[in-house]
Every structure is written in C-alpha cells, then in structure tokens.
Amino acid sequence: MMQRKWKITLIVCAGVFMASLDLFIVNIAFPSIAKHFNHASLGSLSWIVSGYAIVFAALLVPAGRWADAFGRKRAFLLGLGIFVLASVGCAFAPSVGFLIAARLVQAGGGALMLPTSLGLILPEFAASERHVAIGVWAATGGIAAATGPPLGGLLVQADWRLVFLVNVPVGLAALVMGARVLNERREAHALRPDLVSALGFTIAIGALVLAIVNGQSWGWTSLPVLLLLATPAVLLPAIWRRSEHHDSPLIDPAMLRVRSFSLAVSASVLFFAGFAAMLLSGVLFLTGVWHESVLIAGLMLFPGPFMATLFSIPSARLGARVGYRIPGVIGALMFASAAVFWITQTGDTPAYLTQYLPGTLISGAGVGLVIPTLTGAGASSLPPERFATGAAVLTMGRQVGSALGIAILVAVLGTAATTAADFHSAWKICLVGGLSAGVALASLGPAVRRRAPAEPAPEVAVASGVAAGPGLTPGSGLAPASGVAPGPGLGPASGLAPASGLAPASGVTPASGVAPASGVAPGPGPAMIEASA
C-alpha cells in the first residue's frame, strides 16, 4: 500500500503537472482555436496567454499570504477546484471573450494552487528524505514542459477542447483524494495580503498590453492608446508608494533597491519577453507558413524543452560554483544566436532538419542555462529570510515579461503573417530579449554566487508565497531545481543558493517546518527557503 507521504506527493504533483502543462498545450492549440472562432485575430487570441500571465503575476503573492492565514490545504484544494471549473469553461466557451474570461479565472486558481504545493509536501518527509521529494516535485514541471508540445498536438488533432478537458478527470481525482489525505497547514500570525495593489497591478499591466496590441490599428497617438499608456504611468508609482508603507506589500521596495536583485528581475522581464514570443511564434510559423499539422508542429518543437531540461541542472551547479553571471550570459547569447539562425536560415519551403531544428536545440540549451541563473542570482542577492518574497517578485517579473512579449509579437506580426519574412521580424523580439537580458546578467558582476553555508542545514523550509521549487540541500547531491509555473518557463532548475549562508530563522512553526509567504523561514535551526521559477 502506498505510504501517506507519497499519496500527498502524487496529489500535489498532479495539480502542478496540470498547471505546468497548460501553457504549452494552449500555445500549440492557437491555430485550431482561431479557426474554430471564425479565424479570430491574433490580437484577441493573444489574451488567452497574456491575460493568464498578468492575473497570475498579480495574485501570486496575495494568494500565498492568504494561504498562510487560512490554510494551505484549503488554498490548494480551492485553487485546484477553480482551475478545473475554469478548464470546463474554457472547453465550452461560446466566444473568444468567454474563453479569455475563463482563462483569467483559471489563472486565479493556479495562483492559489502553485504557491502552496511544495509547502504541503515537505513536512511529510523527514529532513534526510526531503531532497527526494524535492526532486520528484521539480521533475513534474520538467516532464510537463517536455511532454506539452507533442501531447498538445495529439489532443488538438482530435479537438482543441480536449486541451482543457484533459484537466478535468485528473483534477477531480486530485480533489477527492486531497480532501481525504492532505494535512492542513497554516501560520498563526500571517499577514493579510494587499489586494488593492494586486488589482492596481493587474489593471496597469493589462492596460499596457492592450495599448501595445492595438497601438498600430488604433493609432499610437490616438486618445484611447494614450490613456492606456498613461494608466501604468500613474498606477505603478502609486503601488510603489503604497508598498513602502504597507505591512504586507505586493512588492517590497527595499528588495528592488538591491542592485543585483533588481538586475535579476529586469533580466527576467527581458528574457521572458523574448521567450514567450519564441514559444508562440514557433507554433504560428510551423502551422501557418510551413503548413504542418498541429501534431507534427508539436513534435518539431519537442527538442526545445528537452534541451532546456537537459541543461538546467548543470547550469545550476555551475552557477553555484563559479557565479551566475557566466552561465547566464552564455545562455542568453545562445538564445539570441538561435533567433539569428532562424532569421537568416528559414524560408517559405519546409526544411526542418537544416532550417529549424538547429535553432530549436540552441535556444533550448540557452533557456536551460538562463532560467536557473535568473532565480539563483536573484535569491543569492538577498538574506535567507527574504528568499520567499524575492522569488515571488522574480516570478512576477517573468509573467509580466511573458505578457509583454506576446503583445509585442502581435504588434509585429499584425493581422496576416504568412511568409517566413514576416516571422523574421518577429524573431527579432527574441534577439533583443536575449541580448538585453545578457547585458543585465553581465552587469551582475562575478561576486553573485553561492557561498558555502557555515554549517549543514538539517531542515529545508518552504515558503508558500511563491511557486516553490527546490534549492540545494547540503549534502544531498541534488542540484537546485524548480518546476514550471503556469506561465512561460522550462526546465527543472532554479539554481537557488543563499549569498549570506544559512542563518537561523525566526517565526518557528515546529510542527510544520514550513515558512510563511512573507519570507520568514521557520525551523529550529538553519533554514533555507526553496523558490522556483
């Protein structure tokens, strides 16, 4: 009979797998969804991905803190239930607008579910076994990323609605089992989230994305576009000022004043703008220019996430050993060089092995090098008690970058992209994103790296306020890892390591060994917050 701890791991990983798989399947389904809704415009369809990313980014920290106060089991099951119901809504959406609305609700479910996942698993394992649980959790995200394109292609080949309906039986089974098996975990003195700032952040980024998507058709100097551009210019500074005085801020301004951390966040926004544009443009190019079936396109895209998974663990170890600047810059340059390859080599006549596959392999390796670097460099800039909050901000940066990258891609491609030349312009987004992220990572300096802990850490603390993922467990031999959050991100490595060593933590919750979302790590001894992409 399966042990209780593995039942809990199976239940939680089922939710993580669904949320991680969702992005890649939805990308591959774009052409079929557009055809079903009478060839809906790319601009309107882009909100299926962008809207999800914006809402997830805005709710990540508030949802984690709500889970701390009201219970992680309750938050996980509620998020899972919302995700499943929204998946049904997506599958039977009568219009593009309804589908987008259902995706926004789905993002809310993901924001409740992902941050609590690892916080429910680790307390069930002894300290000596936690690296195994961490590895299983991290591998779930990597498997979802690698299987997403071919599985999505297979499902879409039958009916695009299966992309969303596949979540229902898995989610319902996890809900029933979770209600019976999961243990409740909560913090006695957790702070209430700043929902006002979360709403303002959603409106600000949404207005910016809407302005970018419609700027060309409405006119960049038209009143609606100018008002949309003015919205983030007003709201974001207001959120900053509010965060400086709020007990539980959406974004902690003090963290962004740390130069290396702010550079890591900036690099995340820039890189994921190019990364998200690459994911969607690949599907559109293969199906729209080379006229491959969705299934074949999914198989053609598979080598990218496979390479990212393959390179992520060596990247994490290299970053911890020599500093995060080197693997980060190399990965960013590889990603940019893949864009150059596609721009210079692809034509209207299909030639996958010579014109597309090499770029896919190079870009995948680059992604595998960069993603662990971004999390590792950001987290290593902060003291241990700020890891959780810092990882949440890094994740927000990735989601915002993804939304902006999709918006810019839509603006560049316009309404009719039918030739390779059209996509050559689009791949310049990947080129600029990779190069600019590389510049930001190069500015980190050689000192941003993992420092050896003063003593072995017997406990691994998990913050529920972030989409948590593994870091180094001293002596375990396990490389730092992260899963794939429901938003662009590949590979199972985060490369998280503390810069200041592992300090004894306050706010101890001896029974659970799980830290609150605010970044206060519990545990009777040295503790380390595990954070993901």
Side-chain angles (χ1 to χ4, degrees):
M1 184 176 179
M2 184 181 295
Q3 292 179 292
R4 179 184 181 86
K5 61 185 179 182
W6 290 113
K7 288 182 179 178
I8 291 175
T9 303
L10 177 64
I11 293 165
V12 172
C13 286
V16 172
F17 183 84
M18 282 195 311
S20 303
L21 185 70
D22 198 62
L23 168 75
F24 301 96
I25 288 185
V26 171
N27 270 325
I28 204 73
F30 254 57
S32 297
I33 294 174
K35 183 178 180 180
H36 177 84
F37 290 113
N38 298 318
H39 300 283
S41 70
L42 180 60
S44 60
L45 290 176
S46 69
W47 285 96
I48 298 172
V49 175
S50 297
Y52 186 104
I54 293 169
V55 171
F56 181 79
L59 294 183
L60 179 65
V61 173
R65 287 183 172 144
W66 182 86
D68 286 334
F70 295 98
R72 297 187 181 101
K73 174 182 176 179
R74 180 184 301 180
F76 180 83
L77 293 179
L78 177 61
L80 183 57
I82 292 173
F83 195 90
V84 169
L85 286 174
S87 296
V88 175
C90 291
F92 295 102
S95 65
V96 173
F98 191 98
L99 176 56
I100 293 170
R103 284 284 289 169
L104 299 184
V105 175
Q106 202 177 39
L112 279 169
M113 183 170 52
L114 263 291
T116 60
S117 57
L118 203 58
L120 289 168
I121 294 176
L122 287 194
E124 305 299 327
F125 288 79
S128 60
E129 298 178 316
R130 286 179 179 170
H131 66 283
V132 178
I134 286 169
V136 171
W137 187 94
T140 301
I143 292 170
T147 59
L151 178 60
L154 183 63
L155 292 173
V156 172
Q157 195 77 3
D159 190 334
W160 69 266
R161 299 179 190 277
L162 293 177
V163 162
F164 300 104
L165 289 177
V166 71
N167 295 327
V168 177
V170 177
L172 290 177
L175 272 172
V176 172
M177 293 179 62
R180 296 169 51 191
V181 177
L182 296 178
N183 294 318
E184 187 58 278
R185 309 278 177 181
R186 61 167 55 89
E187 300 299 328
H189 305 291
L191 298 173
R192 293 185 178 274
D194 183 7
L195 294 179
V196 173
S197 291
L199 177 61
F201 186 84
T202 303
I203 294 172
I205 302 302
L208 179 58
V209 169
L210 185 60
I212 295 172
V213 169
N214 295 291
Q216 192 167 3
S217 59
W218 292 356
W220 288 104
T221 59
S222 65
L223 181 60
V225 171
L226 292 177
L227 289 175
L228 287 171
L229 292 174
T231 300
V234 173
L235 286 180
L236 293 180
I239 293 171
W240 178 272
R241 289 192 296 271
R242 179 180 174 86
S243 296
E244 287 186 313
H245 304 289
H246 200 280
D247 291 335
S248 181
L250 180 67
I251 301 174
D252 189 348
M255 293 169 52
L256 293 181
R257 295 189 182 104
V258 178
R259 180 177 179 274
S260 54
F261 181 78
S262 62
L263 283 171
V265 173
S266 300
S268 295
V269 173
L270 295 167
F271 184 80
F272 272 81
F275 178 53
M278 180 202 71
L279 286 178
L280 183 55
S281 63
V283 174
L284 298 177
F285 173 77
L286 292 173
T287 58
V289 177
W290 284 2
H291 303 292
E292 303 289 355
S293 69
V294 174
L295 176 59
I296 296 300
L299 293 172
M300 287 179 167
L301 293 171
F302 169 76
F306 175 78
M307 289 294 288
T309 303
L310 196 65
F311 273 74
S312 58
I313 291 177
S315 171
R317 290 175 173 166
L318 181 63
R321 189 173 298 120
V322 303
Y324 295 107
R325 182 175 67 171
I326 294 175
V329 171
I330 293 174
L333 291 177
M334 290 180 68
F335 184 79
S337 66
V340 172
F341 179 87
W342 287 322
I343 291 169
T344 58
Q345 299 301 315
T346 53
D348 294 336
T349 303
Y352 175 71
L353 293 179
T354 57
Q355 294 183 14
Y356 198 84
L357 179 61
T360 301
L361 296 174
I362 296 169
S363 66
V367 169
L369 289 171
V370 170
I371 289 181
T373 298
L374 293 173
T375 301
S380 64
S381 306
L382 304 172
E385 67 272 12
R386 309 304 293 277
F387 283 167
T389 311
V393 174
L394 284 165
T395 304
M396 290 173 67
R398 296 179 182 193
Q399 300 299 322
V400 170
S402 299
L404 294 176
I406 294 294
I408 297 170
L409 176 68
V410 171
V412 169
L413 289 179
T415 57
T418 58
T419 68
D422 296 328
F423 284 89
H424 293 169
S425 298
W427 284 320
K428 291 177 183 177
I429 304 170
C430 308
L431 174 61
V432 173
L435 290 178
S436 55
V439 171
L441 289 168
S443 302
L444 286 172
V448 181
R449 67 183 71 187
R450 174 181 178 263
R451 295 180 187 172
E455 56 182 284
E459 296 284 339
V460 177
V462 181
S464 72
V466 297
L472 285 175
T473 304
S476 71
L478 178 68
S482 79
V484 182
L490 287 178
S494 72
L496 175 60
S500 58
L502 303 179
S506 59
V508 179
T509 308
S512 69
V514 179
S518 58
V520 180
M528 176 173 161
I529 300 293
E530 308 293 341
S532 87

